[in-house]
Amino acid sequence: MSVDLKPEAVWEALPDELKSALRRRAAEPLNDDLLLKCHRAAEDNELPIFWRPDPAADFRRHRLHTALVDYIAGLGKDG
């Protein structure tokens, strides 16, 4: 996982459908469908990996990168 993740740039590159799903579930583990969509978006847009294995689930599940979760949580709070 890159410490250089720029959450705003990642967010702007994601398809609207994926943004909508991630807004609803940002702090939850990614289900298989969302993980696949994240992977496709990363490949299609040449994005860094913006999710990580979840140590709380013995690394069997994945979560969004903490910086991206924080960014999503802050969306819409400025206005």
Side-chain angles (χ1 to χ4, degrees), residues 9-79:
V10 169
W11 185 254
E12 291 303 318
L14 297 178
D16 289 340
E17 178 186 346
L18 182 54
K19 287 180 187 178
S20 178
L22 294 178
R23 271 185 180 233
R24 290 189 305 269
R25 301 179 46 104
E28 298 176 23
L30 298 171
N31 61 31
D32 291 342
D33 183 53
L34 278 177
L35 184 58
L36 180 61
K37 288 178 181 179
C38 288
H39 182 76
R40 284 184 184 149
E43 282 187 340
D44 291 348
N45 296 290
E46 299 181 12
L47 297 171
I49 300 300
F50 54 90
W51 60 91
R52 62 177 175 77
D54 185 2
D58 293 330
F59 301 97
R60 290 176 286 158
R61 301 292 306 202
H62 292 82
R63 291 184 174 276
L64 292 178
H65 188 288
T66 305
L68 187 56
V69 172
D70 292 345
Y71 179 81
I72 294 168
L75 290 173
K77 290 186 178 180
D78 294 332

